[in-house]
Amino acid sequence: MACAGPQSAPGAEPPQPSTPRHSYDTANDATAVVAGTGKVVGWTQSAQDLLGYRAADVVGRSGGFLLAMPEDPVRVAGIAERCRAGVGWRGVADARRRDGSRIELDLRVSASFHLDGRECFLVSGRERRPEWTVGQSVMDAFLAGSPIGIAVMGPDLRYTWMNDTLERFSGVPREHRMGRRLSEVLPGLETEALEILMRGVLDTGVPVIDYEYLGWTWADPRRKRAYSTSYLPLTDSDGAVTGLCYMVLDVTDRWNAQQRLALVNDASASIGSTLDVMRTAQELADFAVPRFADFVIVDLLEPVASPDDPGPWPLGVGLSGPELTRPGAVTNSSRPRMRRAGMSSVREGCPEAVCRVGDPVDFLPPPHDIRFLAEGEPVLIPVLDPDSHVWAAEQPGRAASIREHGLHSLIAVPMRARDTVLGLTTFIRSVNPTPFEPDDVLPAREMVVRAAVCVDNARRYTREHTAALTLQRSLLPHTLPGGMALDVASSYLPADAKDGVGGDWFDVIPLSGARVALVVGDVVGHGISAAATMGRLRTAVHTLADMDLPPDELLAHLDDLVLRLSDEETEGEDRGGTPVLGATCLYAVYDPVTQLCTMARAGHPPPVVVTPDGRVSFPELPAGPPLGLGGMPFETAEISLPEGSLIGLYTDGLIEGRDRDPDLGMSRLGGALAQRGLPLDALCASVVDQLVPVPQPDDVALLLARTHELSADHVASWEVPTDPAAVAGVRARTARVLRSWDLEELEMTTELIVSELVTNAVRYATGPIRLRLLRQSVLICEVSDTSSTSPRLRHARTTDEGGRGLFLVAQLTRRWGTRYTADGKIIWTEQELPTTDA
């Protein structure tokens, strides 16, 4: 009886024999519509075919006459309430055919609905086909041979029945279980928690499905196993709970697979937290103990364990393909040169270890040689036999440790990454009685692969970082020649390990006329590229400084250079180049004669000045654009630095540390430099320690200089008439000055130099002409005039009457040159002072 359809008219054709239908065919189910009062209000052809009643025989009558079973008003009312709640009902009922025969129907009653203002229900049904019934013998055979362990327990939770599978699982004979509780049969298992769970099923009648726990059995007491259990209440005909059925399935293989997968996933998050080779090796050992092994050692090849000071790569290691198999590449006697990089044990202090962390080792699982590291697969030794000939002969010390500490199972996995052999990791069990199995090799391999990639990354980073530091330090000045003009001290701290080195640099460059240039700069970025760019800029500054350019002109030329470098690197990006983003620079020139310091800066922080009386200031210099922008001018500023003044040049890493305000950093810098009573080197180190107590993400450079005046007794200067006859008087006066300075040894040479320079000025330049002698660490001779034409050194021909003067000057002096001034030029020479015997 089901879906409402058109009613059959009185006098319709007699019912036709019903045709067989598939059990899953619901389209032709017998259907009827029944009102809430129980009367049939709709009848279909399918219902007529099934029961033989025509619509005229049924519609308008109570549907109760169709049932061949006693009326049950309570059950009917319950079904109606359920359907009114929108749930529907399904069940089995006996019906009466028109010919008086009985038929068993599968009935379905829909949720209630309204039709023409009346509450109605849709009733559908089909004949219930006879089904095959399972005999008791078949059921017994099924229960006994089921792969699931099954037991029946009484209300007191004592065993009353169990199948053979459960007996096999537990290793406890059936006769030892019957009449006993679980806690009496398997002491030490989670019996208390399990019995509480079973008691809850008995009390509530609610089953518990797929409850998993770990345990052991008498059948395999040394191995932890995983079980999935279900607990079902048993009821009698009155619905009372009379006992409990529980089913047990051994899911150890699935649980082990999940644990191995979780182990590998966790290893990815726990190994490789730093870019330190030794630390990464120790992280691997710490992670695997005790989750996977009881004792783990990680041995790395010497070049890997010491990437900042790599030695030659071991014979045969790192080779692949034809190279590895060439004659003599690897011999059976080859032993790897390794170092213990990490180890961990469930026993405090790792007493199993024959070597300590940092010790040289050459351990390989016998009978393998170095070829095992280069091309071997992981080795599984389920049962270690220290008394075997191989261990006793090749590893006697380790064989003794195996016996002493009960090491019984081993997995050794070569560490390789990116076709490079790195070392060997060995996993050993002793306290855990379960030996390693073939399924344990895969997670061991995966852990080592993860660690090997991290070790190789750390090795590559350390080597590159060390190379960058070496490059940067080699490009920084090894001496700071301040001469008699300046006392100089410096401090440089590279960036921390996270960001690598940067492009900070500083320099002290002696200039002509006893002047000294102070330089500090900062290239944007980090690493070898920044360090290399810094080296190029430092070289350029030296070259431009030798041209005696004013600070603003020097920065303009440097700006052009950075622009060219950026263009070159941008064009080379497809070849792995990194564009130069720019740089900042501060260039200052101090003259000890005038005590003036001329400075210009390109986007760099201003210098700090501490006067002899302790006042701190940051001179207001035109900021200027950073190098690399182009098209904007630089400006100079001039300040006076009395004898004993302190000037500091620095990079922004000193004042712009983590979470620090630059203005606050400059204030702290001034306060630190105001300390008194410290030598310049100690003051420089103290300032950096105070302002940078922890590693910073940027390089830090500080250059300090204390000024000195070149006093009058070291300087002689006078004007020279523009008359060739005045040359003789100049020579005589020069000789007198040298004798007063106790430099008689230089008298003849200096007279010749002065004569040539003054003669050239008188002959080719315009007045006024001035001669100045400076006695510093060298003897300086300067001749100035108002001409902007620079003399040129050339080789005179045999027939030439002149042209040999500057050639002689170049031969007699240490160096010579020309610098331009606002009023003309200065030709200068330097001579070494004679050495005095102690």
Side-chain angles (χ1 to χ4, degrees):
M1 293 168 271
C3 189
Q7 301 181 11
S8 298
E13 292 295 328
Q16 300 296 322
S18 61
T19 58
R21 297 188 303 272
H22 293 291
S23 61
Y24 52 82
D25 180 13
T26 61
N28 295 316
D29 281 358
T31 59
V33 178
V34 180
T37 60
K39 291 184 179 181
V40 179
V41 297
W43 192 254
T44 64
Q45 182 64 44
S46 298
Q48 179 175 321
D49 293 342
L50 181 63
L51 298 181
Y53 293 101
R54 295 177 298 179
D57 301 330
V58 178
V59 173
R61 298 177 60 184
S62 173
F65 80 96
L66 297 173
L67 298 177
M69 54 191 301
E71 292 188 5
D72 189 346
V74 175
R75 186 182 185 196
V76 171
I79 294 173
E81 288 303 318
R82 178 183 177 91
C83 295
R84 290 188 179 104
V87 178
W89 176 85
R90 179 173 182 171
V92 178
D94 291 338
R96 182 181 295 106
R97 292 179 181 271
R98 185 172 185 178
D99 59 8
S101 62
R102 297 165 63 94
I103 183 173
E104 189 176 28
L105 300 179
D106 279 326
L107 285 183
R108 291 184 299 276
V109 182
S110 73
S112 64
F113 60 93
H114 285 79
L115 181 66
D116 296 332
R118 291 184 297 181
E119 180 186 42
C120 296
F121 302 91
L122 191 66
V123 182
S124 62
R126 66 174 64 182
E127 183 178 2
R128 186 176 179 85
R129 300 294 182 182
E131 297 179 356
W132 178 74
T133 59
V134 179
Q136 186 62 41
S137 61
V138 175
M139 182 61 67
D140 290 344
F142 169 74
L143 293 176
S146 170
I148 301 176
I150 304 174
V152 176
M153 309 181 84
D156 56 356
L157 297 181
R158 295 184 181 275
Y159 286 95
T160 60
W161 181 87
M162 61 180 288
N163 68 349
D164 296 342
T165 305
L166 183 60
E167 184 177 18
R168 187 172 61 253
F169 278 174
S170 65
V172 179
R174 180 180 277 100
E175 58 270 20
H176 290 173
R177 278 189 186 254
M178 293 301 109
R180 290 185 174 90
R181 297 171 64 128
L182 183 63
S183 57
E184 298 170 354
V185 176
L186 295 173
L189 196 65
E190 297 180 23
T191 53
E192 183 177 349
L194 293 176
E195 289 187 348
I196 291 175
L197 189 66
M198 290 187 286
R199 177 60 62 188
V201 173
L202 291 174
D203 293 342
T204 63
V206 178
V208 173
I209 308 297
D210 288 336
Y211 175 80
E212 293 189 0
Y213 66 91
L214 300 178
W216 59 272
T217 65
W218 290 113
D220 190 5
R222 303 178 61 184
R223 188 185 305 272
K224 183 180 291 186
R225 308 197 70 86
Y227 299 99
S228 175
T229 59
S230 296
Y231 305 91
L232 308 174
L234 300 177
T235 60
D236 57 16
S237 58
D238 296 328
V241 177
T242 60
L244 176 78
C245 172
Y246 84 77
M247 294 177 285
V248 183
L249 180 64
D250 190 331
V251 293
T252 303
D253 291 341
R254 184 189 71 189
W255 183 81
N256 286 338
Q258 291 173 342
Q259 295 305 304
R260 294 182 183 114
L261 179 61
L263 183 73
V264 174
N265 288 338
D266 293 346
S268 300
S270 301
I271 301 173
S273 62
T274 65
L275 286 171
D276 182 87
V277 170
M278 302 293 278
R279 179 59 190 160
T280 301
Q282 186 61 47
E283 286 177 346
L284 169 59
D286 291 340
F287 174 79
V289 174
R291 291 184 60 173
F292 185 72
D294 299 321
F295 177 47
V296 176
I297 56 175
V298 183
D299 299 329
L300 299 179
L301 296 174
E302 286 280 8
V304 180
S306 304
D308 52 344
D309 186 21
W313 211 262
L315 178 64
V317 176
L319 303 178
S320 60
E323 291 185 334
L324 185 62
T325 57
R326 63 178 172 81
V330 179
T331 64
N332 290 334
S333 61
S334 298
R335 302 298 296 176
R337 299 188 301 275
M338 298 192 292
R339 189 167 296 277
R340 181 64 47 85
M343 65 181 181
S344 183
S345 171
V346 293
R347 298 179 175 92
E348 186 175 357
C350 299
E352 310 96 323
V354 176
C355 301
R356 300 286 100 185
V357 172
D359 291 347
V361 294
D362 62 355
F363 170 72
L364 291 174
H368 298 82
D369 58 28
I370 197 173
R371 188 185 296 273
F372 168 65
L373 296 180
E375 59 183 13
E377 292 297 316
V379 169
L380 167 64
I381 305 178
V383 179
L384 280 175
D385 182 10
D387 297 322
S388 68
H389 171 73
V390 175
W391 280 95
E394 296 190 21
Q395 306 281 346
R398 291 183 173 86
S401 178
I402 291 173
R403 282 190 293 269
E404 179 181 356
H405 298 96
L407 312 183
H408 64 82
S409 190
L410 175 148
I411 295 178
V413 184
M415 297 184 70
R416 295 189 288 263
R418 303 182 181 97
D419 298 325
T420 301
V421 179
L422 303 174
L424 177 71
T425 300
T426 306
F427 304 91
I428 303 174
R429 282 182 179 171
S430 58
V431 176
N432 184 346
T434 305
F436 285 118
E437 300 176 341
D439 288 342
D440 293 318
V441 174
L442 180 59
R445 185 204 296 266
E446 291 299 324
M447 283 190 289
V448 173
V449 166
R450 165 65 184 174
V453 172
C454 296
V455 166
D456 193 48
N457 288 342
R459 176 183 69 91
R460 290 167 178 258
Y461 169 79
T462 302
R463 297 188 68 172
E464 291 181 5
H465 187 257
T466 301
L469 278 179
T470 302
L471 172 63
Q472 187 170 37
R473 291 188 182 278
S474 68
L475 295 175
L476 292 173
H478 300 288
T479 59
L480 300 174
M484 297 179 64
L486 297 171
D487 293 330
V488 184
S490 66
S491 182
Y492 167 73
L493 291 179
D496 64 8
K498 178 181 179 181
D499 294 306
V501 298
D504 289 13
W505 90 93
F506 56 88
D507 222 331
V508 178
I509 307 173
L511 302 177
S512 63
R515 298 168 307 134
V516 178
L518 301 173
V519 190
V520 67
D522 185 358
V523 175
V524 175
H526 296 278
I528 292 181
S529 176
T533 301
M534 174 270 286
R536 299 167 79 175
L537 295 183
R538 179 172 178 254
T539 301
V541 171
H542 270 267
T543 302
L544 296 171
D546 283 343
M547 298 171 62
D548 271 319
L549 296 175
D552 56 339
E553 292 186 26
L554 183 143
L555 291 181
H557 285 287
L558 201 61
D559 183 48
D560 292 338
L561 174 64
V562 173
L563 282 173
R564 289 197 300 273
L565 291 177
S566 298
D567 292 340
E568 292 175 7
E569 297 294 346
T570 301
E571 294 174 359
E573 280 186 30
D574 293 338
R575 299 186 296 272
T578 302
V580 178
L581 300 179
T584 64
C585 184
L586 172 62
Y587 186 80
V589 177
Y590 174 69
D591 189 339
V593 178
T594 63
Q595 297 179 276
L596 294 177
C597 185
T598 306
M599 295 177 283
R601 61 182 178 131
H604 203 83
V608 56
V609 174
V610 182
T611 59
D613 59 4
R615 289 184 293 108
V616 179
S617 64
F618 292 85
E620 291 292 337
L621 305 181
L627 300 174
L629 295 183
M632 300 181 69
F634 300 94
E635 300 180 46
T636 60
E638 193 173 72
I639 61 173
S640 176
L641 296 177
E643 171 81 17
S645 297
L646 181 66
I647 181 171
L649 281 65
Y650 52 91
T651 56
D652 55 7
L654 186 66
I655 60 173
E656 294 181 356
R658 291 187 177 96
D659 301 326
R660 290 237 303 268
D661 183 272
D663 294 335
L664 178 59
M666 293 171 65
S667 176
R668 295 181 60 190
L669 173 61
L673 287 174
Q675 301 177 77
R676 293 189 177 267
L678 289 177
L680 197 59
D681 287 338
L683 177 63
C684 189
S686 174
V687 169
V688 174
D689 288 343
Q690 290 183 47
L691 270 66
V692 191
V694 295
Q696 298 294 317
D698 196 5
D699 286 5
V700 172
L702 174 63
L703 178 64
L704 297 182
R706 196 178 301 280
T707 64
H708 296 291
E709 178 188 8
L710 199 60
S711 58
D713 58 348
H714 288 73
V715 181
S717 176
W718 64 91
E719 288 193 6
V720 178
T722 55
D723 183 358
V727 174
V730 171
R731 291 168 60 111
R733 188 169 180 178
T734 299
R736 289 195 297 272
V737 171
L738 294 181
R739 285 194 292 271
S740 68
W741 287 347
D742 296 326
L743 298 177
E744 289 86 352
E745 293 183 28
L746 299 179
E747 185 175 334
M748 182 178 296
T749 303
T750 307
E751 285 183 11
L752 180 57
I753 293 171
V754 168
S755 177
E756 290 295 335
L757 295 182
V758 171
T759 298
N760 279 342
V762 170
R763 179 179 299 177
Y764 299 111
T766 58
I769 300 172
R770 174 170 288 276
L771 172 65
R772 187 171 73 164
L773 300 175
L774 304 174
R775 178 168 62 91
Q776 199 195 26
S777 55
V778 293
L779 178 63
I780 301 172
C781 177
E782 297 181 341
V783 175
S784 61
D785 58 52
T786 57
S787 172
S788 59
T789 303
S790 176
R792 182 169 58 89
L793 179 66
R794 63 187 179 88
H795 290 278
R797 294 187 296 250
T798 306
T799 57
D800 290 345
E801 296 183 1
R804 298 176 178 84
L806 285 181
F807 182 79
L808 291 175
V809 168
Q811 299 301 311
L812 296 174
T813 60
R814 188 182 72 164
R815 63 181 189 138
W816 73 281
T818 304
R819 75 173 181 268
Y820 294 93
T821 66
D823 300 323
K825 70 175 182 298
I826 297 174
I827 310 297
W828 55 268
T829 65
E830 290 182 359
Q831 296 171 260
E832 296 284 358
L833 297 181
T835 57
T836 57
D837 296 332

